[in-house]
Amino acid sequence: MRILLGLILIFTACSSYGDHNWQFSGFGSLGVGKVNREDYQFGEADNNWDFDNDTRLGIQLQGNLTERLAFTTQVSSSGLALGGEESYNPKLQWLFLSYQATPDLQLRLGRLRSSYYIYSGTRDVGYSYPWARPPIDVYTYLLQPLGNIDGADLQYTLDMSNDLELDILLFVGEVEGEIRDVTVESNPTYGATFTLRSLDWLLRYSFHIEHTDIRSEGLQTAVDYYEDLSELTGDPIFNEIGSALYAEGTNYQYHAIGGQWDFNSWGIIAEKYWVLAPDSGFANDSDGWYVSLLYHYNEFTPYTVLSAYDNTLDKDTLPLIDEAAAQYPFAAPLLEQTRAGIQSFKAKERSITLGVRYDFMANTCIKFEVQYFDFLAGSTGQGFPLNDADPPDNATLMTIVMDVVF
Amino acid sequence: MIRPIRQLTFLLGTALLLMAVRCHADIVVITNLDNPVTSLSNKEVRRVFLGRLHLYPGTEHEPLAIDLPQGSDAYREFYDTVIGISQPKLKRYRAYYLFSGKGKIPFMVESPQAVIDSIVSSTYAIGYLVQPDEEQLNRVKVLYRQATAE
């Protein structure tokens, strides 16, 4: 209600500012996808052609309150629902006031998109990138519900010689989201992004420090049991095992480097990230990368992507589980469940993608894409097996998506 | 004998003069007569139309960029020649810029006359014309000129 009231006040202020002040725009993607096997699901895609994985719609309104003070708001709705929300629930992606303090310095306050990677800000806007979706081995499903930050940022642009510019973005705020039944809250989260750009290329580095609480309803019962067991036996080993199932004020570091280069009709885009966690507690180490090569031929842009993803939850806890199981056989069922829970976070995959983008009319394109996944280390990557099947070694995801901006 | 030579010289001179005028006035970037800014460099023009120049140099005023329709010849010529960005790249850039919270993109009007009308009615508006006639330029101030490749 307060947000609505705020928006009405802003609209009123904007309408008195100037004839060309309003800029209403939008974007949409209508996607259909299918996995080639019946025993595996990737996002919302399974063995039946389904629209939910890559279908999105968003609207945006921008305007000036004064010459230097502007506001932006964007709401989008996606068929892909990884958190506790239903598919196609509208979500507020941007709602901020920006103040242009000097020609080179801008401050923003409100709800912002996180700036982990090159396309983090336009992840829902299919038209802004060449692929059906940003490469999932870097733009991971794990981070998707954490894509917004409530806080402030400050952007300074340094105009350099030879058409070079350096953008420095500093930000602070809080992040909150859900992934399946896991709730993640990071407060504060802060960091910086550095982007060196010319007309034909850019280089980028970003880091986030996130002071994070992670809790899962499903794992909380086990955490309680471990605390009781530790008290009962007087052995701290159970507390140590239990502490691997949640995080409280844990500092996670996210680092990402990326680059983009256009040379005549060719283009190359590459990014790599690392998530660094402390050695104890809910220690989720993760890294991934992709390299994409593109060729622009009239309205067609064929492309390929090579990528990899590796995620591990607290390797150090598994030896403790072995030790506790040997010492306290009565606790073995709980310990085995915990081992399975920890191993379910293990994800290692390599993938290769082939696709083509066809810009067949103004502001509209269609993409055809095939992505082949190779699953390693007994994991099923970022998807999961269906019908109690054994984990598959590989899977292929086919996608057709039409993107539009207006 | 002298008369035909004089006539030929006159015709040749006139042709060269016309060619020179045409070459030097092919693309112009214009603003309101009351805008205190008197000129912009090519780099500044590029930054305005790519949304990366938030205030006019030396002022505290935001440029209000005016665009011609995406499919028009003037639009293509301006972005190819002055901005130096291909049409497919510009489309992706604009979508990326607009929806990543960086700012507004140029406001589109339907015709060169509408560009002039918008500029006349707004002090800090900035637009472009391709091969304008002198009468069109009487009501506006030229900030930047560039000849086309023709």
Side-chain angles (χ1 to χ4, degrees):
Chain A
M1 191 62 189
R2 273 179 297 178
I3 289 173
L4 189 64
L5 191 64
L7 285 176
I8 290 168
L9 287 172
I10 286 167
F11 291 169
T12 312
C14 284
S15 61
S16 62
Y17 180 67
D19 289 344
H20 295 155
N21 190 31
W22 292 97
Q23 201 158 75
F24 177 76
S25 41
F27 56 87
S29 294
L30 181 65
V32 61
K34 178 185 173 175
V35 175
N36 72 325
R37 51 194 310 153
E38 290 178 352
D39 56 357
Y40 185 72
Q41 180 166 346
F42 185 83
E44 299 281 348
D46 56 21
N47 193 230
N48 300 309
W49 288 103
D50 188 283
F51 282 96
D52 290 343
N53 213 37
D54 295 291
T55 297
R56 300 174 288 272
L57 183 68
I59 52 170
Q60 178 172 294
L61 190 68
Q62 294 168 285
N64 278 62
L65 296 168
T66 69
E67 203 160 29
R68 290 182 176 217
L69 187 68
F71 87 94
T72 299
T73 184
Q74 185 191 103
V75 177
S76 75
S77 162
S78 169
L80 181 63
L82 299 168
E85 295 175 347
E86 293 293 314
S87 290
Y88 302 107
N89 259 6
K91 186 175 179 191
L92 189 64
Q93 303 287 6
W94 297 100
L95 178 64
F96 64 85
L97 290 172
S98 58
Y99 180 69
Q100 194 69 41
T102 71
D104 306 318
L105 185 68
Q106 187 185 60
L107 293 102
R108 301 190 299 184
L109 178 71
R111 167 158 288 198
L112 309 164
R113 293 294 299 241
S114 300
S115 60
Y116 295 107
Y117 312 118
I118 293 173
Y119 291 101
S120 290
T122 58
R123 183 175 184 143
D124 291 338
V125 189
Y127 193 85
S128 69
Y129 42 79
W131 320 284
R133 68 193 75 78
I136 205 69
D137 287 333
V138 168
Y139 295 76
T140 63
Y141 282 157
L142 208 59
L143 282 184
Q144 192 153 338
L146 310 175
N148 298 99
I149 176 168
D150 293 326
D153 70 15
L154 188 153
Q155 176 158 312
Y156 180 73
T157 302
L158 181 64
D159 186 14
M160 301 161 78
S161 58
N162 299 326
D163 289 335
L164 285 179
E165 286 176 14
L166 176 67
D167 290 338
I168 300 169
L169 181 79
L170 307 174
F171 58 87
V172 64
E174 62 177 276
V175 173
E176 192 178 334
E178 282 182 16
I179 308 153
R180 296 178 198 155
D181 75 330
V182 180
T183 305
V184 182
E185 287 179 43
S186 295
N187 187 12
T189 177
Y190 56 91
T193 299
F194 304 89
T195 308
L196 182 66
R197 68 172 82 239
S198 81
L199 257 185
D200 296 326
W201 57 265
L202 70 81
L203 289 172
R204 186 180 192 275
Y205 166 69
S206 78
F207 75 89
H208 290 54
I209 308 290
E210 304 199 342
H211 192 72
T212 306
D213 295 342
I214 301 174
R215 293 214 170 261
S216 156
E217 275 179 37
L219 295 174
Q220 189 53 45
T221 314
V223 173
D224 294 341
Y225 273 131
Y226 281 119
E227 281 176 6
D228 292 346
L229 280 171
S230 219
E231 213 168 291
L232 191 72
T233 60
D235 193 336
I237 195 169
F238 290 109
N239 265 342
E240 279 185 61
I241 295 169
S243 70
L245 305 178
Y246 67 92
E248 207 165 72
T250 306
N251 275 325
Y252 287 82
Q253 292 180 37
Y254 296 76
H255 298 266
I257 54 169
Q260 193 172 346
W261 184 41
D262 288 318
F263 181 71
N264 295 331
S265 299
W266 292 91
I268 187 163
I269 309 171
E271 291 187 271
K272 176 167 175 60
Y273 82 96
W274 304 262
V275 178
L276 303 177
D279 290 337
S280 59
F282 193 101
N284 183 85
D285 284 343
S286 178
D287 67 86
W289 58 266
Y290 74 86
V291 178
S292 179
L293 186 67
L294 314 112
Y295 183 75
H296 303 293
Y297 179 73
N298 296 330
E299 281 75 35
F300 292 93
T301 306
Y303 59 84
T304 183
V305 187
L306 287 174
S307 62
Y309 171 76
D310 194 354
N311 187 71
T312 314
L313 180 71
D314 196 8
K315 297 181 281 281
D316 296 345
T317 306
L318 297 177
L320 291 178
I321 289 176
D322 291 339
E323 194 184 324
Q327 241 180 311
Y328 305 98
F330 69 91
L334 175 63
L335 289 162
E336 287 314 311
Q337 267 188 341
T338 305
R339 184 199 305 279
I342 288 173
Q343 284 174 335
S344 73
F345 279 84
K346 175 72 186 166
K348 191 167 187 171
E349 68 190 12
R350 304 285 178 263
S351 78
I352 181 163
T353 305
L354 293 174
V356 62
R357 168 179 169 145
Y358 174 38
D359 286 85
F360 65 100
M361 57 187 279
N363 300 329
T364 309
C365 68
I366 190 164
K367 298 159 184 170
F368 301 88
E369 184 178 290
V370 178
Q371 184 167 16
Y372 172 80
F373 294 95
D374 195 10
F375 304 124
L376 305 170
S379 81
T380 53
Q382 294 185 66
F384 45 91
L386 294 173
N387 313 321
D388 298 323
D390 289 334
D393 293 333
N394 62 70
T396 302
L397 172 65
M398 292 156 283
T399 309
I400 304 169
V401 60
M402 189 168 78
D403 299 315
V404 61
V405 290
F406 53 92
Chain B
M1 187 65 191
I2 293 171
R3 197 169 169 178
I5 291 172
R6 273 190 187 156
Q7 278 178 340
L8 193 63
T9 311
F10 175 75
L11 283 172
L12 200 61
T14 308
L16 285 170
L17 189 65
L18 284 172
M19 280 170 71
V21 167
R22 185 184 159 83
C23 278
H24 287 296
D26 277 343
I27 300 178
V28 292
V29 174
I30 54 176
T31 190
N32 189 291
L33 289 170
D34 294 333
N35 188 339
V37 178
T38 53
S39 69
L40 291 177
S41 68
N42 176 270
K43 185 177 183 183
E44 286 163 341
V45 170
R46 283 211 310 268
R47 293 187 75 207
V48 167
F49 284 90
L50 294 177
R52 301 191 59 78
L53 192 106
H54 298 288
L55 299 175
Y56 278 111
T59 77
E60 299 197 341
H61 301 291
E62 183 190 26
L64 173 65
I66 311 283
D67 235 346
L68 284 163
Q70 231 183 66
S72 67
D73 290 343
Y75 177 92
R76 273 198 293 273
E77 197 153 1
F78 176 71
Y79 282 98
D80 284 350
T81 309
V82 178
I83 308 298
I85 187 168
S86 69
Q87 298 298 311
K89 191 173 170 187
L90 179 62
K91 285 183 195 173
R92 292 194 305 275
Y93 176 87
R94 283 269 162 89
Y96 178 84
Y97 179 86
L98 176 64
F99 294 111
S100 59
K102 294 188 184 303
K104 290 189 282 188
I105 59 172
F107 186 86
M108 196 196 79
V109 298
E110 287 302 321
S111 66
Q113 189 54 49
V115 172
I116 293 169
D117 293 343
S118 297
I119 283 174
V120 168
S121 67
S122 176
T123 309
Y124 300 106
I126 179 169
Y128 55 88
L129 297 172
V130 175
Q131 294 181 354
D133 55 50
E134 284 306 313
E135 198 181 330
Q136 284 179 308
L137 297 181
N138 284 342
R139 300 164 64 203
V140 295
K141 184 195 294 185
V142 175
L143 294 175
Y144 176 81
R145 278 177 192 271
Q146 186 168 326
T148 59
E150 286 177 51

